[in-house]
Amino acid sequence: NLASEEKWISADYYVLNLVDGEYSLAPAFLGNVEYVAKYGEKYGFKKNYFIQTMPYGGGSHDRVPTYEDIRLQEYALLAFGMDSISLFCYMTPNVNGEFSEVQEAMIGRDGKPTPIYDAVKKANQEILKFDHVYLQFDWKGVFTCDAGKTEVGKSRTRYNCFSTISDRLSIEDVQSVSSVTCSQNTLFGYFGDEYANDGFMVVNYNDPHNIKESHVTMEFEDQRGYNKAILYRGGEKSIVQIEKNKIDIELGAGEGVFVIPYCE
């Protein structure tokens, strides 16, 4: 019965660039991820996206992904409510016009794990430690913050990677948050669960080779009365105090933290 079969929407577009020694993120990546997220929600499809886990081609994607590169991609996908993540590639393809002899994936042509295998394993294990919590939340959208800017809005970004997101929320759309500030460009996934708890996937969305650390401050609406937050960092749970409606979050290169504010 085709009507009862689980339906999926899936796509790929790879984000890690290296051109003339300059590391960067492909701006169109988030726009493509948003397309999958938006239409998956609209039609009730499960949502999947591929991440870049090997260098390929002779152009801008000839870049060996690090652990920080892998987690950047995975946390960005979580910010858009993805249900699963696929890998390009697991086994190294045969040498051809797209893959050179020196370009290897997670498993090399000799059948042995490469350093990329360990990087992906580490990032995946982080997510698997808290996915049971993450999956209890429904995705509501994303909002963004430019480095050093307090303004958050649909038309207020100077960061080319955020400009491709067509339906960014403004801070007014997020009833529990009054403002955010960040030292580096920050992506926020916005979620809610059946008990009216809000959740936020906060991602240091900058090329991990160029930007190592980011400081983020989230200020919550006073009437919410939040005084604590659960944080999942590297898959590990911690509880921190919210003082004067504010929480400070330090993010490493390519790092994402899942934040659940609450009152006790």
Side-chain angles (χ1 to χ4, degrees):
N1 185 351
L2 291 176
S4 63
E5 289 181 357
E6 191 171 75
K7 297 179 175 64
W8 285 82
I9 181 172
S10 180
D12 64 351
Y13 181 92
Y14 301 112
V15 68
L16 302 175
N17 282 345
L18 178 58
V19 180
D20 296 330
E22 296 290 329
Y23 291 80
S24 65
L25 302 178
F29 175 72
L30 292 182
N32 279 270
V33 174
E34 180 194 32
Y35 186 93
V36 172
K38 188 165 60 174
Y39 283 93
E41 291 290 314
K42 180 177 180 179
Y43 294 109
F45 291 177
K46 292 283 190 178
K47 306 176 293 293
N48 177 75
Y49 209 90
F50 282 79
I51 64 169
Q52 182 181 343
T53 57
M54 71 173 296
Y56 69 92
S60 62
H61 293 296
D62 187 14
R63 169 174 168 176
V64 179
T66 64
Y67 157 67
E68 289 80 10
D69 293 335
I70 298 300
R71 72 175 180 178
L72 169 88
Q73 296 177 81
E74 295 194 333
Y75 284 122
L77 294 185
L78 292 184
F80 280 88
M82 289 296 126
D83 295 293
S84 72
I85 299 171
S86 296
L87 310 171
F88 177 82
C89 291
Y90 178 70
M91 293 291 296
T92 302
N94 293 329
V95 175
N96 57 35
E98 188 175 13
F99 306 102
S100 72
E101 188 173 342
V102 297
Q103 292 173 331
E104 291 193 314
M106 296 170 60
I107 303 296
R109 294 188 181 93
D110 60 1
K112 297 179 181 179
T114 68
I116 302 174
Y117 179 92
D118 295 323
V120 175
K121 180 179 179 181
K122 182 178 180 181
N124 285 352
Q125 286 178 334
E126 290 182 13
I127 294 172
L128 290 172
K129 285 182 180 179
F130 76 97
D131 66 342
H132 61 288
V133 177
Y134 170 84
L135 291 171
Q136 293 180 43
F137 284 79
D138 294 321
W139 182 65
K140 295 184 176 182
V142 299
F143 57 101
T144 64
C145 182
D146 285 7
K149 300 289 285 185
T150 57
E151 294 179 313
V152 181
K154 296 176 183 177
S155 59
R156 302 188 190 116
T157 184
R158 295 175 298 169
Y159 186 35
N160 58 359
C161 288
F162 291 160
S163 66
T164 66
I165 307 172
S166 60
D167 290 329
R168 284 179 300 125
L169 300 174
S170 69
I171 211 68
E172 291 78 18
D173 298 318
V174 185
Q175 294 182 354
S176 59
V177 177
S178 60
S179 70
V180 295
T181 59
C182 52
S183 63
Q184 302 296 341
N185 301 302
T186 307
L187 172 68
F188 296 82
Y190 175 37
F191 299 82
D193 71 4
E194 61 180 319
Y195 304 106
N197 295 306
D198 280 356
F200 302 92
M201 180 58 71
V202 186
V203 185
N204 179 359
Y205 196 78
N206 303 272
D207 194 299
H209 186 87
N210 303 325
I211 301 295
K212 303 302 182 185
E213 298 174 350
S214 179
H215 178 88
V216 179
T217 299
M218 298 183 70
E219 183 174 5
F220 300 102
E221 291 289 353
D222 183 65
Q223 66 265 28
R224 291 287 175 138
Y226 294 144
N227 60 0
K228 291 185 177 181
I230 299 171
L231 267 59
Y232 286 92
R233 181 192 298 275
E236 301 297 333
K237 177 183 177 181
S238 65
I239 297 177
V240 301
Q241 299 292 321
I242 296 177
E243 298 181 0
K244 297 182 180 178
N245 300 317
K246 291 184 179 181
I247 183 173
D248 293 314
I249 304 167
E250 302 295 335
L251 296 172
E255 186 172 24
V257 174
F258 194 53
V259 179
I260 308 169
Y262 67 99
C263 52
E264 185 178 75

